[in-house]
Amino acid sequence: MELPPPLVVASSRLHDFESGSRLEWLETDGRGGYAAGTAVGANTRRYHGILVVARRPPADRVVLLSRLDEVILTADGERFEISANVYPGAIHPQGHRLLEAFALDPWPVWRYRLGALTLTRELFVARDPGVTVVRYRVEGGTARLELRPLIAGREFHALVVENDVITPSVEASERRLVHHPYPGIPPLVLSHDGGAWRGDGVWVHQTVYPRETERGLDDREDLYRPGVLTATLEPGRAWRVACGIHPVPVDAVDGWADAERCHRARAAAEGRRLAGADRELATTAARLGMAAEAFLVEREAGWTIVAGYPWFADWGRDAMISVPGLCLARGRVRQAVSVLETFAAHLRDGLIPNRFPDDGGEVPDDHYNAADASLWFIEAVAAAADAGGDVSGLWPAVRAILAAYRDGTRFGIGADDDALVRQGEPGVQLTWMDARVDGWVVTPRAGKAVEVNALWYNALRRAGELARAVGADAGLYVELADRVRTSFRAFQFDGGGYLYDVIDAAGHADATLRPNQLLAVSLPYSPLTPEWAGRVVRAVERALLIPLGVRTLAPDDPLYRGSYGGSQHERDAAYHQGTAWPWLLGPFITAYLRVHGRLRDARARMRSLFAAVPAHLDAYGMGQIAEVLAGDPPHAPGGCFAQAWSCAELLRVLPMVAAAPEAR
């Protein structure tokens, strides 16, 4: 098993702080905790940190150790400050100018030129002990390292200012530092290779987070520096520090590194297998396989899927859409079933949670606000069964969901007289186009949404399969599905050659051209004739497709927003009004190949969409796929820099575009 070649950033980009600071990296611990930062070494978000821990995995996250300010003193008396921090009107120090290169190999590695010395700094998260490891190695002579930990000790959505509540002192021993920042916050434990500790206890004021500035949010924070750890660096020998909430044996670090390399190589191999004999796609597939590992995390006694980093927890819709790509495509069938069991355990009135709360507590009723997540759950259960998983224990949940949708449940969700599902409650967003700000639902879609009904039809057909597998009566589901298929014709917009997006309670049909109609073609069971399936694909391809995603609104629509950024109001206004989503490539590619077949030309056309992936892996969240892209060229990435369903859907369709074409 081999790792893919490293992703390398040249010094020219690193020396340009504005450019280099937009390249972000991510290391995860499998429990919802992580380390994250930028290629230049600066924290540009409140969510960045060396040690971010989940107190109730995968939620209730705390930024414990924000960063390490580092100084190298050479034997000749030269002093090099290798950190890079943003303060009001200044970047200080400017350690990024000393960088020769940054690489993911397979984790973040920085190489600095310090006069006659070369310093290599690498950082990785070791999953088993749950620690962030930083290793320093110098070549060309001895040096002294001064390490200054800057502590945040706060909930990861918040910011901290100077206060007199923080514990001022550190418990220091020969190879360990322990700091208890605040009541209720886990201790910060630095296990290291030895050095001299000198406490000083000062506040470092006004760190600025530029990405928060751009998002129109509070962007300044004070961090507490309890002191300085001084260590000697000798050529050819790494000096190591393990950052966690429990003491660990630092001598085990190198073994953890070997284990991490093996773990990541296995993940890369799982991705690479999806490319088959397609050598050109092999490296991209391997990197997507490695990226997938970030999202599969522990919850309770099982598994769940984090929707995106750095700020999302586990969301029902995102998790269900992601199960086939993150789990089943890579052969993780038992893990897929465990994810489904996690959500089934929280089923309420026929609905799985739209999201779990960030604080890790009980799921409140208003977190069940999704009309489609439970239908995606049924598709994920059926896909797991197709892959050989034992889903018999999930049949009661499937049955309960379908009964609730048929008879009616919360938020106005239920089947109408024509067997189509309606949904809607004033002020509540219930479909995946769920942006809401200050009570404003940006894309109100109350009524019969096209993708919800495509999912409903598919769920009924899938339930028929599952019922037969467990020895239950499938007749009810088959009969209801037949009625849905007949009624689904109401979505056919003959004048436009595509499907209406929503039909409201008064029967008014919204003719806005959106990508939601793709699900009526891409799901295993389609309610459309082949002719109408072809119309849908042609309309979406013509107006909405971009190289690495599908727009949410056509550019000729008066409400189209071609850029994504600015304040929360501006971002939410664009979120589903022209912004493109990489996850939608999965449904598009599936629908296209269903309409055109997997012949050489069709496969080549869809394979060409993967040409944009390698450059994207270098452009935003390194080694990851972003949440969204701007609708207008150059389609700048935005939102979360690592998004589960973006990665998952690319993995799911990889075999479709990499498989050998059928003969003409």
Side-chain angles (χ1 to χ4, degrees):
M1 294 184 292
E2 296 181 356
L3 290 162
L7 294 173
V8 180
V9 182
S11 60
S12 57
R13 182 163 190 185
L14 298 169
H15 295 170
D16 180 347
F17 186 87
E18 172 59 24
S19 177
S21 67
R22 292 190 179 275
L23 298 176
E24 299 178 68
W25 53 264
L26 174 70
E27 287 281 304
T28 60
D29 68 1
R31 302 172 185 88
Y34 63 87
T38 67
V40 296
N43 288 353
T44 58
R45 300 184 189 270
R46 68 181 67 192
Y47 302 100
H48 286 160
I50 299 294
L51 183 66
V52 182
V53 298
R55 290 182 287 188
R56 289 190 276 186
D60 199 11
R61 286 177 276 195
V62 172
V63 178
L64 198 50
L65 178 60
S66 177
R67 65 179 191 262
L68 295 168
D69 272 359
E70 301 134 318
V71 176
I72 300 294
L73 304 170
T74 72
D76 296 331
E78 292 182 285
R79 176 186 174 90
F80 296 95
E81 298 182 71
I82 66 171
S83 302
N85 306 316
V86 184
Y87 297 106
I91 300 167
H92 178 80
Q94 297 190 15
H96 64 290
R97 294 187 177 276
L98 303 172
L99 278 166
E100 286 189 328
F102 169 82
L104 289 188
D105 187 21
W107 44 67
V109 179
W110 294 262
R111 190 174 72 248
Y112 296 87
R113 170 60 63 182
L114 310 177
L117 302 183
T118 298
L119 175 75
T120 301
R121 175 186 188 262
E122 58 180 322
L123 180 152
F124 68 92
V125 169
R127 288 183 167 225
D128 285 347
V131 298
T132 302
V133 173
V134 187
R135 294 195 290 194
Y136 302 85
R137 188 183 300 271
V138 69
E139 300 294 342
T142 60
R144 199 163 78 247
L145 168 67
E146 292 183 351
L147 208 60
R148 295 169 171 82
L150 274 74
I151 296 168
R154 40 84 176 172
E155 191 270 336
F156 85 142
H157 288 310
L159 294 170
V160 70
V161 297
E162 180 177 355
N163 60 79
D164 57 7
V165 180
I166 196 165
T167 302
S169 60
V170 166
E171 300 167 14
S173 59
E174 183 180 358
R175 302 182 75 184
R176 186 169 297 143
L177 304 172
V178 181
H179 183 249
H180 299 267
Y182 299 101
I185 300 295
L188 170 64
V189 182
L190 303 183
S191 305
H192 58 84
D193 271 323
W197 173 256
R198 176 174 56 85
D200 54 17
V202 300
W203 283 90
V204 176
H205 298 109
Q206 295 285 292
T207 292
V208 176
Y209 300 124
R211 300 295 85 81
E212 307 301 327
T213 309
E214 293 171 356
R215 297 171 70 224
L217 302 175
D218 292 340
D219 60 358
R220 302 190 182 193
E221 178 164 52
D222 300 337
L223 299 168
Y224 184 68
R225 189 187 76 197
V228 183
L229 177 64
T230 302
T232 299
L233 303 182
E234 299 177 356
R237 180 181 177 184
W239 186 90
R240 305 158 301 185
V241 57
C243 313
I245 60 174
H246 303 290
V248 295
V250 74
D251 290 339
V253 160
D254 295 340
W256 296 334
D258 292 340
E260 279 299 317
R261 284 189 177 275
C262 289
H263 179 87
R264 298 174 198 216
R266 284 194 296 270
E270 289 171 343
R272 194 180 289 113
R273 280 196 296 271
L274 298 177
D278 193 328
R279 293 184 179 181
E280 291 184 6
L281 278 179
T283 296
T284 296
R287 286 181 177 145
L288 290 173
M290 291 171 60
E293 288 298 282
F295 307 105
L296 290 160
V297 301
E298 298 175 8
R299 174 176 278 280
E300 298 158 356
W303 292 90
T304 188
I305 292 174
V306 166
Y309 292 92
W311 50 72
F312 285 134
D314 37 352
W315 288 59
R317 176 188 299 113
D318 301 58
M320 297 306 107
I321 292 172
S322 298
V323 160
L326 296 186
C327 300
L328 300 176
R330 300 193 301 142
R332 308 282 192 89
V333 180
R334 290 184 180 179
Q335 208 167 27
V337 173
S338 179
V339 172
L340 296 169
E341 290 171 343
T342 294
F343 280 86
H346 293 271
L347 188 71
R348 197 177 296 172
D349 297 332
L351 301 173
I352 66 168
N354 182 35
R355 65 185 179 97
F356 286 101
D358 286 341
D359 65 6
E362 190 66 27
V363 185
D365 284 348
D366 63 0
H367 280 33
Y368 283 82
N369 58 318
D372 54 347
S374 300
L375 302 176
W376 277 114
F377 171 87
I378 294 175
E379 171 53 30
V381 171
D386 292 343
D390 180 3
V391 300
S392 57
L394 295 166
W395 171 246
V398 171
R399 189 175 56 201
I401 290 168
L402 294 174
Y405 274 67
R406 181 194 63 208
D407 300 335
T409 185
R410 304 179 186 192
F411 305 111
I413 299 169
D416 222 336
D417 292 340
D418 58 3
L420 296 177
V421 166
R422 67 188 184 281
Q423 51 80 31
E425 187 170 289
V428 180
Q429 65 279 35
L430 293 167
T431 71
W432 85 274
M433 290 190 160
D434 59 357
R436 179 184 178 189
V437 57
D438 297 330
W440 171 44
V441 178
V442 181
T443 51
R445 302 181 70 232
K448 299 168 185 176
V450 66
E451 82 281 7
V452 172
N453 281 282
L455 283 160
W456 170 232
Y457 175 76
N458 181 73
L460 290 166
R461 293 294 189 205
R462 288 295 228 169
E465 297 173 357
L466 294 167
R468 287 185 284 270
V470 299
D473 181 12
L476 172 64
Y477 306 116
V478 173
E479 179 185 353
L480 192 51
D482 289 341
R483 292 181 59 204
V484 173
R485 183 172 188 176
T486 299
S487 297
F488 198 87
R489 295 171 188 162
F491 286 102
Q492 296 175 184
F493 177 28
D494 291 304
Y498 55 88
L499 301 183
Y500 291 117
D501 191 55
V502 181
I503 300 173
D504 68 18
H508 174 264
D510 179 1
T512 304
L513 177 57
R514 293 194 183 275
N516 305 306
Q517 60 192 299
L518 281 172
L519 298 186
V521 186
S522 65
L523 288 165
Y525 287 97
S526 170
L528 299 177
T529 64
E531 178 191 358
W532 265 99
R535 290 186 181 185
V536 166
V537 169
R538 286 191 295 274
V540 172
E541 182 179 19
R542 180 181 66 252
L544 304 179
L545 184 67
I546 68 169
L548 192 58
V550 180
R551 295 185 182 104
T552 45
L553 194 62
D556 61 359
D557 192 291
L559 298 178
Y560 174 77
R561 304 278 185 111
S563 61
Y564 178 82
S567 67
Q568 182 176 348
H569 188 279
E570 292 170 316
R571 284 179 282 114
D572 284 348
Y575 211 33
H576 302 296
Q577 297 286 62
T579 297
W581 293 69
W583 85 267
L584 289 170
L585 269 189
F588 178 80
I589 289 173
T590 306
Y592 188 96
L593 294 177
R594 180 165 293 170
V595 167
H596 294 282
R598 297 191 190 183
L599 299 176
R600 185 184 304 276
D601 290 347
R603 188 179 69 94
R605 170 77 177 99
M606 293 300 94
R607 190 182 182 286
S608 69
L609 297 178
F610 272 78
V613 176
H616 182 82
L617 291 169
D618 276 338
Y620 188 44
M622 295 188 67
Q624 288 285 351
I625 307 297
E627 179 186 8
V628 296
L629 306 164
D632 285 349
H635 308 300
C640 282
F641 59 77
Q643 192 76 2
W645 60 8
S646 300
C647 176
E649 280 295 275
L650 290 178
L651 282 166
R652 183 182 66 81
V653 299
L654 245 173
M656 299 182 189
V657 300
E662 300 171 3
R664 286 183 178 273

